[in-house]
Amino acid sequence: MTETKGESPNELDKDRWIALVHDLVAIESFSGNEAAAVRFLVEQMTTMGYASHIDAAGNAVGIRGSQNANGEFATTIILLGHIDTVHGDIPVRLESGILHGRGSVDAKGPLATLVAAASQAELPPGVRLIVVGAVEEETASSRGARQIATDYVADYCVIGEPGGATAITLGYKGRVLVEYQVEVDEGHTAGPQQNGAEIAAAFWQSIVRHADSFNEGRKTLFDQLLPSLRSIHSSSDGITSRASAKVGIRLPPKFDFESYQKNIAELAGPGTVEIYGHEPAWQSDRTNLLVRSIARTIAASGQRTSYKLKTGTADLNVVGPVWQCPIIAYGPGDSSLDHTPREHLVLSEYLQAIAILRDSITTLARTAADHASS
């Protein structure tokens, strides 16, 4: 495949890359209904020179690179973004250099950054570059990332998530979801018996108390147990009092999840629990070649790199434990806008991130190829 020399930061095809992210955001792609956006992205990557296809999970996959003299790919770099979004209709519009729309930040802006940057990166023989627009990241299934983790082995991986053009996200907390159900005989409200709603509320409070106890002495949110009540419902037919609750819990690194499952079951009382969607926390170090390549590129642009640890989860949690390789998250956008009605992307930052990532990949690929041949 013919490789195209990347442009300098001042020579980015700005209109082309702005059109890419605008059109991608304009295609609705809520989790489970990403097919139209996936087809669009595959078509776009094909025009950029990628060998592109839709895989078994429905991901958009684009591949660049040429084999070395031995007919091998000595190094594989995977850029993994997600193409699905949470629900919510935000009218798509470009206004004063800002793109408004669902997914502009989380995470079609970062995904478009991966696609644009990788299309221009210079790749020596023996380096394979794989760009993925994954499906179902916003659900507990993470079906797209699990498919990619099965199909490929990465030597280096960049996850497309917002953090800012001059920031590197080194890790994400883990997660588990808990569904609680309880049914008890109805009783008089003046009597001593708790109804279903009260029992479910007591279960939630016990989860909170357990977390408060665990968190004593742990100063950072990244190291704490962070529960959230996603929903709670109750009903009665005059005979049976019923209640259900959904709890999400963010988990710190090196957490004893097996013991915690037993604790949750003990806290359930007369109710039942279903525990699912577990992903362990994952954190990369700051000294590997991937991090150094991006940090040096940011420094060369005259800016300072910031390093982040996030309290949410991402596809990094899925593929990190499988690949055990240097892995970070990178992308433009303010992550505090994730899942909000105010979601928007500053296009100047988006273009800056493309230039930084393009040059970082070029440096990483060249260095990795040199190491592989030495």
Side-chain angles (χ1 to χ4, degrees):
M1 185 178 296
T2 301
E3 304 300 347
T4 303
K5 185 176 180 181
E7 302 151 309
S8 72
N10 293 327
E11 294 173 340
L12 283 176
D13 189 347
K14 297 179 181 180
D15 290 342
R16 181 183 190 183
W17 304 132
I18 290 172
L20 173 67
V21 69
H22 173 274
D23 294 350
L24 187 59
V25 170
I27 301 172
E28 183 180 285
S29 57
F30 302 141
S31 296
N33 293 282
E34 307 97 335
V38 167
R39 288 194 299 270
F40 167 80
L41 188 59
V42 166
E43 291 168 0
Q44 292 297 308
M45 288 194 291
T46 299
T47 66
M48 296 175 199
Y50 290 94
S52 307
H53 68 279
I54 300 173
D55 72 8
N59 297 319
V61 181
I63 302 175
R64 286 190 59 210
S66 59
Q67 297 169 329
N68 60 22
N70 297 323
E72 302 170 332
F73 286 109
T75 301
T76 296
I77 303 169
I78 296 183
L79 310 183
L80 174 59
H82 69 89
I83 202 165
D84 64 318
T85 72
V86 297
H87 283 263
D89 181 21
I90 302 174
V92 179
R93 68 186 192 280
L94 279 170
E95 188 174 271
S96 302
I98 296 174
L99 174 64
H100 300 261
R102 176 59 80 217
S104 57
V105 172
D106 188 18
K108 291 180 177 181
L111 173 57
T113 299
L114 304 184
V115 172
S119 73
Q120 303 170 92
E122 298 179 31
L123 304 179
V127 176
R128 179 173 60 167
L129 192 57
I130 301 173
V131 184
V132 182
V135 299
E136 295 186 22
E137 190 272 351
E138 296 290 1
T139 69
S141 69
S142 296
R143 187 160 74 99
R146 297 188 197 285
Q147 183 71 48
I148 294 300
T150 299
D151 290 347
Y152 303 100
V153 176
D155 296 294
Y156 303 93
C157 178
V158 177
I159 303 293
E161 289 286 350
T166 60
I168 299 172
T169 298
L170 296 173
Y172 284 82
K173 289 176 72 73
R175 177 206 63 204
V176 66
L177 301 173
V178 179
E179 296 272 3
Y180 182 78
Q181 302 279 344
V182 64
E183 292 187 2
V184 294
D185 290 344
E186 190 60 271
H188 197 286
T189 56
Q193 180 176 319
Q194 288 185 314
N195 62 30
E198 292 171 318
I199 294 170
F203 171 73
W204 162 243
Q205 290 299 324
S206 67
I207 292 287
V208 172
R209 286 193 298 272
H210 180 276
D212 289 343
S213 176
F214 176 88
N215 293 338
E216 287 184 10
R218 292 177 168 85
K219 296 182 179 180
T220 68
L221 291 177
F222 196 74
D223 292 322
Q224 294 178 3
L225 200 58
L226 302 177
S228 63
L229 183 62
R230 304 286 183 89
S231 64
I232 187 165
H233 303 281
S234 64
S235 64
S236 174
D237 59 7
I239 301 297
T240 304
S241 176
R242 300 178 177 86
S244 63
K246 182 175 181 179
V247 177
I249 307 165
R250 302 294 181 176
L251 310 175
K254 301 178 181 178
F255 184 69
D256 186 352
F257 179 67
E258 188 172 329
S259 295
Y260 189 52
Q261 289 186 91
K262 296 177 182 177
N263 290 337
I264 291 174
E266 291 170 357
L267 296 174
T272 60
V273 291
E274 177 188 359
I275 300 172
Y276 65 101
H278 173 236
E279 302 292 350
W282 193 258
Q283 182 176 349
S284 189
D285 66 80
R286 290 173 55 164
T287 61
N288 63 66
L289 179 58
L290 172 60
V291 173
R292 295 201 309 271
S293 297
I294 298 176
R296 287 172 180 170
T297 305
I298 293 171
S301 71
Q303 300 187 69
R304 185 175 181 178
T305 304
S306 62
Y307 298 92
K308 298 183 177 182
L309 295 171
K310 292 192 176 181
T311 56
T313 54
D315 279 339
L316 183 149
N317 299 80
V318 175
V319 299
V322 177
W323 290 334
Q324 298 281 328
C325 69
I327 180 170
I328 57 95
Y330 179 80
D334 178 356
S335 59
S336 71
L337 299 174
D338 291 4
H339 302 190
T340 73
R342 305 180 305 282
E343 189 172 5
H344 63 268
L345 179 67
V346 177
L347 293 176
S348 60
E349 183 192 357
Y350 162 67
L351 295 169
Q352 179 189 21
I354 292 173
I356 288 171
L357 187 58
R358 176 204 62 203
D359 293 347
S360 300
I361 294 170
T362 297
T363 299
L364 173 65
R366 184 183 302 121
T367 307
D370 289 344
H371 287 175
S373 62
S374 61

